[in-house]
Amino acid sequence: MTDHEADFGSAPSRYDLVIRGRALTSAGEARHEIAVLDGRIARIDASGAGLDADRIVDLAADEILLPGLVDAHVHVNEPGRTEWEGFASATRAAAAGGVTTLIDMPLNSIPPTVNVDALNVKREVAEPQAHIDVGFWGGAVPGNTAQLRPLHDAGVFGFKCFLLPSGVDEFPPLPLDEIERDMRELASFDSLLIVHAEDPQAIETAPHEFGPGYAGFLASRPRDAENAGIAAVIERARRTGARAHILHLSSSDALPMIAEAKADGVRLTVETCPHYLALSAEEVPDGATAFKCCPPIREEANRELLWQGLLDGTIDLIVSDHSPSTEELKGTGDFGTAWGGVSSLQLGISLIWNEARTRGIPLERVVSWMSAAPANLVGLTHKGRLEVGADADFAVFAPDEQFTVDVHTLRHKNPVSPYAGKSLTGAVRRTVLRGAEVDGETPRGRLLRRGDA
């Protein structure tokens, strides 16, 4: 048996599926034949090997096979706020963007995922609707420390908390003393705390002069708030030895302290999002509340430093933070009243590749930030990579195809996006989940638990 052949006893003479063409494996881009058996990658051979299968797919000359993307930061919102988003619409949108695995946030659903009963409710709702594989984060809120271990044992991938109000009353913020207590609890069974790190005092003392202008909103969520929040998380992770993850990094000012903490051995990981890497404060039109998110989209110079943080490894991964709402809540035209969240689940790889290619960043770096890195964060070692033994999850990507974003063709529930009318290069043409193409009609996704292999 070679390194590129799964252990099925003797090598099969015929597979379920063979895909032939350019493919991006851990060894880089080359022409391959990739064989699938029972939903897993069974063999990877050089082009011309002549592998036989019940179904053989030849990629077009302008297509490349990528590992299915993993999005570890998605607000599906069902049950409770299904008019904002739901598992059927969210997983269709994800699949249309090459995402084959998503991890759902514990809010803004009702009930939030802060105990095992609530987790079971969410699973019951999700299971018959999922077009891709779905896992779940638990929530850490005041008073639920005793629920953390049961949720961990039930299979959540870690626990989310906020340092400041989340925007929904049923998911309140966690004071710093409780964060430290929860970190010690999570360290005892090596779970992960993921943190929306903006300091509430810094937000309270910032100016709050809202309206249609973006500058007022940006001033209300200053970098100092994010920097202080991240510093507080690092301090407590350092003291407790717990694993901590900084969500949706927006402030480039925090990069030096993050790099120092990592160098010191603090168990810290960091994500950022397409909206911080593809958009800038200078381009937000008056009244364009589709751009509102927290922490906010910052200036162009800040954006370039975030890209540098990705390249030097200070930032570990890119996820969507898909946080939709209804058109009525999002489109008020007033940055003080509009819901804060960006809908981009379907567009992530296109947005990031569109930006990366102009900076000379190769596609394999982009894919690693959006597939293997988020899979590693949640411990799904069989996801997000084209390797023998991994799940046969693929995205067929045309890196040179150009298109213009039409919000009415996006699959998420409400046609609102700051990318409306934006021209992009790089399109997902097909998505494959465990060897079967996702058609958007028949849900074939599975519910994932921590420790699944």
Side-chain angles (χ1 to χ4, degrees), residues 229-280:
I230 291 169
V233 173
I234 289 172
E235 178 185 352
R236 283 149 185 84
R238 191 186 299 272
R239 286 207 295 254
T240 63
R243 291 194 292 139
H245 179 74
I246 302 299
L247 297 166
H248 42 50
L249 179 68
S250 158
S251 171
S252 63
D253 292 350
L255 291 170
M257 79 171 93
I258 291 167
E260 181 181 7
K262 288 185 168 190
D264 289 346
V266 177
R267 302 173 73 195
L268 185 70
T269 49
V270 181
E271 68 182 40
T272 192
C273 307
H275 38 282
Y276 304 128
L277 298 167
L279 301 172
S280 64

Coordinates of all heavy atoms in Angstrom, one line a residue, residues 229-280:
G229 N -10.5 44.2 25.3 CA -11.2 42.9 25.5 C -10.2 41.7 25.2 O -10.2 40.7 25.9
I230 N -9.4 41.8 24.1 CA -8.5 40.8 23.8 C -7.4 40.6 24.8 O -7.1 39.5 25.2 CB -7.9 41.0 22.4 CG1 -9.0 40.9 21.3 CG2 -6.7 40.1 22.1 CD1 -8.6 41.4 19.9
A231 N -7.0 41.8 25.4 CA -6.0 41.7 26.4 C -6.5 41.0 27.7 O -5.8 40.2 28.3 CB -5.5 43.1 26.8
A232 N -7.8 41.2 28.0 CA -8.4 40.6 29.1 C -8.5 39.1 28.9 O -8.3 38.3 29.9 CB -9.8 41.2 29.4
V233 N -8.9 38.7 27.7 CA -8.9 37.2 27.4 C -7.6 36.6 27.5 O -7.4 35.5 28.1 CB -9.6 37.0 26.0 CG1 -9.5 35.5 25.6 CG2 -11.0 37.5 26.0
I234 N -6.6 37.2 26.9 CA -5.2 36.7 27.0 C -4.7 36.5 28.4 O -4.1 35.5 28.8 CB -4.2 37.6 26.2 CG1 -4.5 37.5 24.7 CG2 -2.8 37.2 26.5 CD1 -3.8 38.4 23.8
E235 N -5.0 37.5 29.2 CA -4.5 37.4 30.6 C -5.2 36.2 31.4 O -4.5 35.5 32.1 CB -4.9 38.7 31.4 CG -4.6 38.7 32.8 CD -5.1 40.0 33.5 OE1 -5.6 40.9 32.9 OE2 -5.0 40.0 34.8
R236 N -6.4 36.0 31.1 CA -7.1 34.9 31.8 C -6.7 33.5 31.2 O -6.6 32.5 31.9 CB -8.6 35.1 31.8 CG -8.9 36.1 32.9 CD -10.1 37.0 32.6 NE -10.3 38.0 33.6 CZ -9.6 39.2 33.6 NH1 -8.8 39.5 32.7 NH2 -9.8 40.0 34.7
A237 N -6.5 33.5 29.9 CA -6.0 32.2 29.3 C -4.6 31.9 29.8 O -4.2 30.8 30.1 CB -6.0 32.4 27.8
R238 N -3.8 33.0 30.0 CA -2.4 32.8 30.5 C -2.5 32.2 31.9 O -1.7 31.3 32.3 CB -1.7 34.1 30.5 CG -0.2 34.0 30.8 CD 0.4 35.4 30.9 NE 0.3 36.2 29.7 CZ 1.2 36.1 28.7 NH1 2.2 35.3 28.7 NH2 1.0 36.9 27.6
R239 N -3.4 32.7 32.8 CA -3.5 32.3 34.2 C -4.0 30.9 34.3 O -3.6 30.2 35.2 CB -4.3 33.3 35.0 CG -3.7 34.6 35.2 CD -4.3 35.3 36.5 NE -5.6 35.6 36.4 CZ -6.1 36.9 36.2 NH1 -5.2 37.9 36.1 NH2 -7.3 37.2 36.2
T240 N -5.0 30.5 33.5 CA -5.7 29.3 33.7 C -5.1 28.1 32.8 O -5.4 27.0 33.1 CB -7.2 29.4 33.3 OG1 -7.3 29.8 31.9 CG2 -7.8 30.5 34.1
G241 N -4.4 28.4 31.8 CA -3.9 27.4 30.9 C -5.0 26.9 29.9 O -4.8 25.9 29.2
A242 N -6.1 27.6 29.9 CA -7.2 27.1 29.0 C -7.0 27.5 27.6 O -6.2 28.4 27.3 CB -8.5 27.8 29.5
R243 N -7.6 26.8 26.7 CA -7.6 27.2 25.3 C -8.6 28.3 25.1 O -9.8 28.2 25.5 CB -8.0 26.0 24.4 CG -6.9 24.9 24.4 CD -7.1 23.9 23.2 NE -8.3 23.1 23.5 CZ -9.2 22.8 22.5 NH1 -9.1 23.3 21.3 NH2 -10.2 22.0 22.8
A244 N -8.2 29.3 24.4 CA -9.1 30.5 24.1 C -9.0 30.8 22.6 O -7.9 30.7 22.0 CB -8.7 31.7 24.9
H245 N -10.1 31.3 22.1 CA -10.1 31.7 20.6 C -10.8 33.0 20.5 O -11.9 33.3 21.1 CB -10.9 30.6 19.9 CG -11.1 30.9 18.4 ND1 -10.0 30.8 17.5 CD2 -12.1 31.3 17.7 CE1 -10.4 31.1 16.3 NE2 -11.7 31.4 16.4
I246 N -10.1 34.0 19.8 CA -10.6 35.3 19.6 C -11.5 35.3 18.3 O -11.0 34.9 17.2 CB -9.5 36.3 19.5 CG1 -8.6 36.3 20.7 CG2 -10.1 37.7 19.2 CD1 -9.4 36.7 22.0
L247 N -12.7 35.7 18.4 CA -13.6 35.7 17.3 C -13.5 37.0 16.5 O -13.1 38.0 17.0 CB -15.1 35.6 17.8 CG -15.4 34.3 18.5 CD1 -16.8 34.4 19.2 CD2 -15.5 33.1 17.5
H248 N -13.7 36.9 15.2 CA -13.8 38.0 14.2 C -12.9 39.2 14.6 O -13.4 40.3 14.8 CB -15.3 38.5 14.1 CG -16.1 38.6 15.4 ND1 -15.6 39.2 16.5 CD2 -17.3 38.1 15.7 CE1 -16.5 39.2 17.5 NE2 -17.5 38.5 17.0
L249 N -11.6 38.9 14.5 CA -10.7 40.0 14.8 C -10.8 41.1 13.7 O -10.7 40.9 12.5 CB -9.2 39.5 14.8 CG -8.2 40.6 15.0 CD1 -8.2 41.1 16.4 CD2 -6.8 40.0 14.7
S250 N -11.0 42.3 14.2 CA -11.1 43.5 13.4 C -10.0 44.5 13.6 O -9.6 45.1 12.6 CB -12.5 44.2 13.7 OG -12.5 45.5 13.3
S251 N -9.5 44.7 14.8 CA -8.5 45.7 15.1 C -7.1 45.1 14.9 O -6.6 44.2 15.6 CB -8.6 46.1 16.6 OG -7.5 47.0 16.9
S252 N -6.4 45.7 13.9 CA -5.0 45.3 13.7 C -4.1 45.7 14.8 O -3.0 45.1 15.0 CB -4.5 45.9 12.3 OG -4.5 47.3 12.4
D253 N -4.5 46.7 15.6 CA -3.7 47.1 16.8 C -3.4 45.9 17.7 O -2.4 45.9 18.5 CB -4.4 48.2 17.6 CG -4.5 49.5 16.8 OD1 -3.9 49.6 15.7 OD2 -5.2 50.4 17.3
A254 N -4.3 44.9 17.7 CA -4.2 43.8 18.7 C -3.2 42.8 18.2 O -2.8 41.9 19.0 CB -5.5 43.1 18.9
L255 N -2.7 42.9 17.0 CA -1.8 41.8 16.5 C -0.5 41.6 17.3 O -0.1 40.5 17.5 CB -1.5 42.1 15.0 CG -2.7 41.9 14.0 CD1 -2.3 42.4 12.6 CD2 -3.1 40.4 13.9
P256 N 0.2 42.7 17.7 CA 1.4 42.5 18.4 C 1.2 41.7 19.7 O 2.0 40.8 20.1 CB 1.9 43.9 18.7 CG 1.4 44.7 17.5 CD 0.0 44.1 17.3
M257 N 0.1 42.1 20.5 CA -0.1 41.4 21.8 C -0.5 39.9 21.5 O -0.2 39.0 22.3 CB -1.2 42.1 22.6 CG -2.6 41.9 22.2 SD -3.8 42.5 23.4 CE -4.1 44.2 22.8
I258 N -1.2 39.6 20.4 CA -1.6 38.3 20.1 C -0.3 37.5 19.8 O -0.1 36.3 20.3 CB -2.6 38.2 18.9 CG1 -4.0 38.8 19.4 CG2 -2.8 36.8 18.4 CD1 -4.9 39.1 18.2
A259 N 0.5 38.0 18.9 CA 1.8 37.4 18.6 C 2.6 37.1 19.8 O 3.2 36.0 19.9 CB 2.5 38.2 17.6
E260 N 2.7 38.0 20.7 CA 3.5 37.9 21.9 C 2.9 36.8 22.8 O 3.6 35.9 23.3 CB 3.5 39.2 22.7 CG 4.4 39.1 24.0 CD 4.4 40.4 24.8 OE1 3.6 41.3 24.4 OE2 5.1 40.5 25.8
A261 N 1.6 36.7 22.9 CA 0.9 35.7 23.8 C 1.2 34.3 23.2 O 1.5 33.4 23.9 CB -0.6 36.0 23.8
K262 N 1.1 34.2 21.9 CA 1.4 32.9 21.2 C 2.8 32.5 21.5 O 3.1 31.3 21.7 CB 1.1 33.0 19.7 CG -0.4 33.0 19.4 CD -0.6 33.0 17.9 CE -2.0 32.7 17.5 NZ -2.2 32.4 16.1
A263 N 3.8 33.4 21.3 CA 5.2 33.1 21.5 C 5.4 32.7 23.0 O 6.4 31.9 23.2 CB 6.0 34.3 21.2
D264 N 4.6 33.2 23.9 CA 4.8 32.9 25.3 C 4.2 31.5 25.6 O 4.2 31.1 26.8 CB 4.2 33.9 26.2 CG 5.0 35.2 26.2 OD1 6.2 35.2 25.7 OD2 4.4 36.2 26.6
G265 N 3.5 30.9 24.7 CA 2.9 29.6 24.9 C 1.4 29.7 25.4 O 0.8 28.6 25.7
V266 N 0.8 30.9 25.4 CA -0.6 31.0 25.7 C -1.4 30.2 24.6 O -1.1 30.3 23.4 CB -1.1 32.4 25.7 CG1 -2.6 32.5 26.0 CG2 -0.3 33.2 26.8
R267 N -2.4 29.4 25.0 CA -3.1 28.5 24.0 C -4.2 29.4 23.4 O -5.4 29.3 23.7 CB -3.6 27.3 24.8 CG -2.5 26.5 25.5 CD -3.1 25.4 26.3 NE -3.6 24.3 25.5 CZ -4.4 23.4 26.0 NH1 -4.9 23.4 27.2 NH2 -4.9 22.4 25.2
L268 N -3.8 30.1 22.4 CA -4.6 31.1 21.8 C -4.7 30.9 20.3 O -3.7 30.7 19.6 CB -4.1 32.5 22.1 CG -4.9 33.7 21.6 CD1 -6.1 33.9 22.5 CD2 -4.0 35.0 21.7
T269 N -5.9 31.0 19.7 CA -6.1 31.1 18.3 C -7.0 32.2 17.9 O -7.7 32.8 18.8 CB -6.7 29.8 17.7 OG1 -7.9 29.4 18.5 CG2 -5.7 28.6 17.8
V270 N -6.9 32.6 16.7 CA -7.6 33.9 16.2 C -8.2 33.7 14.8 O -7.5 33.1 14.0 CB -6.6 35.1 16.2 CG1 -7.3 36.4 15.8 CG2 -5.9 35.2 17.6
E271 N -9.4 34.2 14.6 CA -10.0 34.2 13.3 C -10.3 35.7 12.9 O -10.3 36.6 13.7 CB -11.3 33.5 13.4 CG -12.4 34.2 14.2 CD -13.7 33.5 14.3 OE1 -13.7 32.3 14.5 OE2 -14.8 34.2 14.2
T272 N -10.4 35.8 11.6 CA -11.0 37.0 11.0 C -11.9 36.6 9.9 O -12.2 35.4 9.7 CB -9.9 38.0 10.5 OG1 -10.5 39.3 10.3 CG2 -9.2 37.5 9.3
C273 N -12.5 37.6 9.3 CA -13.7 37.4 8.4 C -13.5 38.1 7.0 O -12.8 39.1 6.9 CB -15.0 37.8 9.1 SG -15.2 37.2 10.7
P274 N -14.2 37.6 6.0 CA -14.1 38.3 4.7 C -14.5 39.7 4.7 O -13.8 40.5 4.0 CB -15.2 37.5 3.9 CG -15.2 36.1 4.5 CD -15.0 36.4 6.0
H275 N -15.4 40.2 5.5 CA -15.8 41.6 5.5 C -14.6 42.5 6.0 O -14.5 43.6 5.6 CB -17.1 41.9 6.2 CG -17.3 41.1 7.5 ND1 -17.8 39.8 7.5 CD2 -17.2 41.5 8.8 CE1 -17.9 39.4 8.7 NE2 -17.6 40.4 9.5
Y276 N -13.8 42.0 6.9 CA -12.7 42.8 7.4 C -11.5 42.8 6.4 O -10.6 43.6 6.4 CB -12.2 42.3 8.7 CG -13.2 42.3 9.8 CD1 -13.5 41.1 10.5 CD2 -14.0 43.4 10.0 CE1 -14.5 41.1 11.5 CE2 -15.0 43.4 11.0 CZ -15.3 42.2 11.7 OH -16.2 42.2 12.6
L277 N -11.5 41.8 5.5 CA -10.4 41.6 4.5 C -10.8 42.1 3.1 O -9.9 42.4 2.3 CB -10.0 40.1 4.4 CG -9.5 39.5 5.7 CD1 -9.5 38.0 5.6 CD2 -8.1 40.1 6.1
A278 N -12.1 42.3 2.8 CA -12.5 42.7 1.5 C -13.2 44.1 1.4 O -13.4 44.6 0.3 CB -13.5 41.6 0.9
L279 N -13.5 44.6 2.6 CA -14.2 45.9 2.7 C -13.4 46.9 3.5 O -12.5 46.5 4.3 CB -15.6 45.7 3.2 CG -16.5 44.8 2.5 CD1 -17.8 44.6 3.3 CD2 -16.8 45.3 1.1
S280 N -13.6 48.2 3.4 CA -13.0 49.2 4.2 C -14.0 50.2 4.6 O -15.0 50.5 3.9 CB -11.8 49.8 3.5 OG -12.2 50.5 2.4

